[in-house]
Amino acid sequence: MSQLENIKGIGPKTLPLLNRLNIYTLEDMVHFYPYRFDVIERSNLRDANEGDKVIVDGIVQKEPLVYFFSKKMNKMTFQIDTGERLLNATIFNRAFFKSNLHVGTKVTIMGKYDKRHGSIVASEIRLGLLPPIPVIEPIYHTTNGISSNQLHKWILSSLDYLEEVNSYVPAYLQERYKLLDKKSSILEVHNPRNKSSLNQALNYLKYEELFLFMMKMNCLKKYRNQEIGIARDIKKEEIDEFISELPFSLTEDQIKCISAIREDMNHSFVMKRLVQGDVGSGKTIVAVAALYMNYKSGYQGAFMAPTEILALQHYQNLLKLYKNTSIKVELLTGKMKVKERNEILKKLATKEIDMLVGTHSLFSEDVVYESLGLVITDEQHRFGVAQRAKLKEKGKMADVLYLSATPIPRTYAITLYGDMDVSSIHQKPMGRKEVITELYKEKDIKLVLEKVEKEIRNHHQIYVIAAQIEESEDDNLENVTKLKEKFERALGKICKVGMLHGKMKALEKDQMMESFQKNDIQILISTTVIEVGIDVLNATMIVIFDSYRFGLSQLHQLRGRVGRGDSQSYCILISDREVERLHVMTQTSDGFKISEEDFRLRGSGDLFGTRQSGDMNFGLADLKRDYSILLRAKEDSMEVLNSEEYQSGKYFPLQEMIEKSIDLD
């Protein structure tokens, strides 16, 4: 029997619901923190404005009346006396609550204030009057079958059952910052007494989360610096000669990145470097140079891409750029016939192949490298930690290079990628035209269609992005199916329209992208599945519907699908909402500035997208809001990590937890 079943109200039917919230133990339960806190206190209606959210209490003066519009739609009205005035209250779809409301019943009402008519449209009604002092209510994420109130009761009961809570912050740091102890902090967060004590509790819990995160990052970096890697002797002249023979000039940022990688490779520790830069900033040529240096050192290289079509593109680029060398490059994909695949694996094991390009198939069990020295992963955030680790294990202490077209502000990158070295490419290659970005309202769709038609008649291609695949409750949102029908009606006589979305099979997606690449399709209606795609030089316009639904960084990624050829390209944003925020896109094409603004407006969760591991899954901390705590935690974690006490095992629970979580073995 689970410990949780000791809690009143939790039984066999409830356990699976809690598991959905990743609650399996009493420890999980007490560490399931509220995502917000509501302050329940009486509003002063004299100071309230039209449409304000207010909380009032009083005594029911008239029996409620219920009006039914349909089986599922009803409206209940009644009147209360607040002690200062009479108010009319309206609430929708709560007819079942009528039996609780009679003349003389004391109630608390929360809702929107209609000042002109002296009434409230209620969102919630509670029995009883408000307490004399403000109450702070924790609000939890829930799942169907469990309410926030139920969770709250179970969490408080779990605290009674749980005898001990491990605190991972050394006592001297708690003293340094005058922090509350952990158990008191947890109790306070789940049952706040007042704003001051709640802030004290949050300070401890946020600090501990960020301290543990930085302990892991710094421990990984320290461990990596102790790993004996491949000692190379790459001459600057050799790489300079390779660069000089390229058919284009490199930017200063690209040259700096290549220089940093050469220095890393010449050191005895294992390289772990992230190269981040905008789409089209030239990260691939940095990877090409790194693979060349690795080849000159006598080792094999692996280049992993998130999709087969992108892997094929990288393979074709490598063949083109290495055509004047004796480097042997091969492509490994899941589509290959067994005989062809076996031939490649045989050559790889005997070092007849110098570089292998592919998707996650590169770390399949039967893929054996003779001497793997460098692993490059493109769009590294798209691969799980375990996937990347498996590929690295194919080579004894192989160097690792990550590429990311999702730039984040450097100050955050240095901290968040604490176990990596970070290089950033800001400059764009010479001759690359800026993508012109324009913002339109939905009523201007005719103008947008005229622009699309002009590009089609100029023999160019268009991406059209929808926020969702199918129709939802929100009929105002465009979806790929509706958009395909609309564009076929409007422009079907002069071009072919295709559709792409995440529910399609991998083969169908690849075939659709291939058709677009070959210009068999001129307009591709898609979801954000094309965010990381291939170079279609002929694509000169991307139209993004309901663009308010996307973060600025994601919009910038989507914009990067066009402007990859010589023709002037355009990004059309369509939105009636959040127009001020979206104007940022029309004013700059600098991905780093955009990510800074996205970070400021939306916070870390939206910026980093789907989190891949527990490391970034903070319960209370927010990287944007709590960045000063993060910096402090970074310094403190290094101090603890280097201390004699840590080395001697004095901080045993902390040491055990860190080493287990990063799996040093």
Side-chain angles (χ1 to χ4, degrees):
M1 188 174 83
S2 160
Q3 294 173 298
L4 291 172
E5 287 184 279
N6 292 325
I7 307 297
K8 188 180 177 183
I10 297 178
K13 288 183 181 177
T14 321
L15 280 174
L17 302 179
L18 289 170
N19 294 165
R20 272 192 223 160
L21 298 170
N22 289 321
I23 298 173
Y24 295 90
T25 65
L26 291 176
E27 285 83 356
D28 294 337
M29 183 74 91
V30 301
H31 288 98
F32 191 82
Y33 298 127
Y35 73 93
R36 78 164 200 264
F37 298 90
D38 285 348
V39 179
I40 310 298
E41 61 182 325
R42 191 177 287 103
S43 302
N44 185 344
L45 294 183
R46 280 174 293 185
D47 297 335
N49 296 313
E50 182 71 28
D52 279 359
K53 287 182 179 176
V54 295
I55 301 173
V56 295
D57 60 356
I59 298 169
V60 176
Q61 296 299 298
K62 290 182 180 178
E63 289 291 326
L65 296 174
V66 177
Y67 305 90
F68 287 92
F69 306 112
S70 67
K71 280 185 180 179
K72 293 183 179 178
M73 189 75 176
N74 59 72
K75 178 175 83 168
M76 181 166 66
T77 63
F78 58 98
Q79 194 178 65
I80 68 162
D81 182 356
T82 68
E84 292 180 352
R85 61 183 300 183
L86 289 175
L87 279 179
N88 294 313
T90 301
I91 190 163
F92 290 91
N93 301 325
R94 297 288 197 285
F96 60 84
F97 204 71
K98 181 178 186 285
S99 59
N100 295 306
L101 300 177
H102 304 287
V103 174
T105 303
K106 294 171 182 175
V107 291
T108 294
I109 301 173
M110 303 171 192
K112 194 178 282 188
Y113 185 40
D114 182 345
K115 191 167 189 171
R116 283 182 304 162
H117 299 99
S119 63
I120 290 179
V121 178
S123 56
E124 190 179 344
I125 301 174
R126 298 181 184 182
L127 295 175
L129 300 177
L130 286 162
I133 57 169
V135 172
I136 301 172
E137 286 189 353
I139 308 297
Y140 302 86
H141 284 299
T142 58
T143 186
N144 284 341
I146 295 178
S147 70
S148 183
N149 281 339
Q150 279 177 305
L151 261 178
H152 186 221
K153 285 175 188 170
W154 293 338
I155 288 167
L156 294 181
S157 297
S158 298
L159 279 166
D160 291 336
Y161 272 97
L162 204 60
E163 293 176 11
E164 195 179 344
V165 177
N166 278 329
S167 175
Y168 297 110
V169 177
Y172 82 92
L173 287 175
Q174 288 190 47
E175 180 60 33
R176 179 185 290 175
Y177 300 121
K178 304 289 185 281
L179 295 172
L180 211 58
D181 68 274
K182 185 168 182 180
K183 190 157 186 182
S184 300
S185 297
I186 289 176
L187 182 60
E188 187 65 40
V189 156
H190 292 302
N191 199 23
R193 288 171 295 161
N194 54 56
K195 288 180 184 178
S196 173
S197 57
L198 174 60
N199 283 333
Q200 279 186 296
L202 289 171
N203 280 343
Y204 174 87
L205 295 171
K206 285 178 181 183
Y207 176 82
E208 185 183 76
E209 281 185 350
L210 295 170
F211 172 74
L212 289 175
F213 174 69
M214 290 315 308
M215 279 293 292
K216 292 174 194 177
M217 290 292 100
N218 288 325
C219 196
L220 279 168
K221 191 162 192 175
K222 187 174 180 181
Y223 176 70
R224 175 171 67 84
N225 289 343
Q226 292 168 354
E227 289 181 303
I228 308 239
I230 300 164
R232 311 167 193 259
D233 184 21
I234 303 160
K235 300 285 188 290
K236 184 178 183 296
E237 298 74 30
E238 280 184 323
I239 189 63
D240 285 347
E241 186 182 343
F242 173 72
I243 290 170
S244 69
E245 290 174 1
L246 290 170
F248 43 79
S249 299
L250 299 191
T251 63
E252 196 179 322
D253 282 353
Q254 286 172 317
I255 291 166
K256 278 182 186 173
C257 278
I258 292 167
S259 177
I261 291 165
R262 187 179 70 84
E263 283 180 30
D264 286 353
M265 285 181 156
N266 280 343
H267 278 127
S268 57
F269 62 77
V270 173
M271 175 176 78
K272 195 175 180 189
R273 182 170 289 275
L274 169 75
V275 174
Q276 58 164 2
D278 273 348
V279 171
S281 62
K283 295 179 299 299
T284 304
I285 195 60
V286 171
V288 166
L291 285 165
Y292 180 76
M293 289 188 273
N294 179 63
Y295 162 75
K296 293 297 282 185
S297 309
Y299 292 91
Q300 293 170 299
F303 195 166
M304 185 164 68
T307 64
E308 288 202 353
I309 203 153
L310 195 53
L312 175 62
Q313 183 177 287
H314 284 319
Y315 171 65
Q316 290 166 341
N317 280 337
L318 291 182
L319 289 179
K320 204 186 302 175
L321 293 165
Y322 294 139
K323 67 180 178 184
N324 296 326
T325 72
S326 56
I327 298 171
K328 298 178 191 73
V329 185
E330 279 293 350
L331 177 70
L332 187 71
T333 71
K335 290 180 189 172
M336 281 182 166
K337 291 178 181 173
V338 176
K339 187 180 177 184
E340 191 183 1
R341 179 185 172 83
N342 288 342
E343 188 62 32
I344 285 175
L345 295 183
K346 186 180 172 185
K347 287 181 179 177
L348 190 70
T350 54
K351 211 183 174 185
E352 291 172 68
I353 292 172
D354 301 307
M355 296 173 196
L356 190 62
V357 185
T359 58
H360 55 275
S361 58
L362 296 188
F363 55 74
S364 299
E365 248 180 76
D366 60 342
V367 179
V368 178
Y369 299 81
E370 197 272 342
S371 56
L372 182 62
L374 176 64
V375 175
I376 298 179
T377 60
D378 190 16
E379 290 305 328
Q380 59 89 21
H381 63 285
R382 304 234 158 200
F383 295 100
V385 175
Q387 286 177 311
R388 296 200 303 266
K390 274 186 182 177
L391 181 53
K392 186 175 178 290
E393 284 164 13
K394 296 284 182 185
K396 298 292 179 189
M397 297 306 174
D399 288 326
V400 184
L401 184 65
Y402 301 117
L403 308 180
S404 177
T406 310
I408 64 170
R410 182 165 175 78
T411 47
Y412 294 102
I414 290 168
T415 307
L416 298 174
Y417 298 119
D419 61 325
M420 302 183 203
D421 296 302
V422 180
S423 293
S424 301
I425 303 178
H426 292 268
Q427 299 161 312
K428 294 274 177 75
M430 292 286 287
R432 185 66 64 90
K433 290 180 181 174
E434 294 286 350
V435 176
I436 295 170
T437 303
E438 297 171 341
L439 182 58
Y440 289 90
K441 298 209 167 173
E442 285 165 24
K443 64 181 175 63
D444 301 322
I445 189 64
K446 194 177 174 188
L447 285 172
V448 173
L449 286 172
E450 285 170 5
K451 285 177 175 287
V452 170
E453 184 178 355
K454 184 181 175 185
E455 290 304 303
I456 295 294
R457 293 197 183 279
N458 284 335
H459 309 293
H460 292 146
Q461 290 165 274
I462 320 288
Y463 291 104
V464 176
I465 306 301
Q468 58 184 14
I469 298 171
E470 299 160 337
E471 285 193 42
S472 70
E473 291 175 14
D474 190 345
D475 289 329
N476 294 321
L477 289 177
E478 293 289 5
N479 63 71
V480 284
T481 314
K482 273 201 296 189
L483 281 176
K484 185 171 186 285
E485 289 168 6
K486 287 180 181 179
F487 273 84
E488 278 178 336
R489 273 201 307 272
L491 299 163
K493 288 179 182 176
I494 64 167
C495 68
K496 285 191 178 174
V497 182
M499 184 169 72
L500 183 71
H501 56 75
K503 285 191 178 178
M504 291 165 69
K505 290 177 182 173
L507 183 61
E508 290 176 314
K509 284 192 273 189
D510 284 351
Q511 286 171 343
M512 184 58 68
M513 277 308 297
E514 206 173 315
S515 297
F516 190 63
Q517 194 178 25
K518 289 177 179 174
N519 203 1
D520 294 336
I521 288 166
Q522 288 71 49
I523 297 178
L524 182 62
I525 314 288
S526 175
T527 56
T528 54
V529 73
I530 62 106
E531 187 182 340
V532 175
I534 53 168
D535 290 350
V536 180
L537 303 185
N538 194 44
T540 57
M541 181 177 282
I542 184 164
V543 181
I544 306 171
F545 282 84
D546 302 311
S547 49
Y548 69 92
R549 287 174 63 87
F550 303 101
L552 296 179
S553 293
Q554 191 175 24
L555 287 173
H556 183 64
Q557 285 290 299
L558 290 166
R559 175 167 64 181
R561 291 296 98 224
V562 297
R564 305 178 81 83
D566 298 327
S567 303
Q568 179 60 60
S569 294
Y570 304 87
C571 173
I572 307 293
L573 305 177
I574 300 176
S575 179
D576 285 343
R577 303 189 211 173
E578 297 185 32
V579 173
E580 191 177 337
R581 177 178 73 89
L582 295 173
H583 270 305
V584 173
M585 295 292 296
T586 67
Q587 291 157 3
T588 181
S589 58
D590 185 329
F592 289 89
K593 283 183 183 172
I594 285 166
S595 67
E596 188 83 61
E597 187 66 10
D598 217 6
F599 210 82
R600 187 182 71 79
L601 290 169
R602 291 158 66 89
S604 56
D606 289 306
L607 182 61
F608 294 102
T610 306
R611 290 163 177 165
Q612 321 175 57
S613 71
D615 282 344
M616 287 288 290
N617 198 8
F618 302 124
L620 290 168
D622 177 274
L623 295 173
K624 173 178 69 88
R625 189 183 58 233
D626 303 314
Y627 189 63
S628 59
I629 303 176
L630 181 68
L631 290 180
R632 202 189 314 150
K634 183 184 181 183
E635 289 177 17
D636 295 341
S637 64
M638 279 306 296
E639 183 183 310
V640 170
L641 201 56
N642 293 326
S643 69
E644 285 182 22
E645 287 85 352
Y646 188 83
Q647 304 304 326
S648 64
K650 182 181 174 184
Y651 304 132
F652 174 70
L654 171 64
Q655 198 165 2
E656 183 186 42
M657 195 276 283
I658 294 295
E659 291 184 2
K660 268 185 185 175
S661 66
I662 63 174
D663 191 14
L664 289 182
D665 299 327

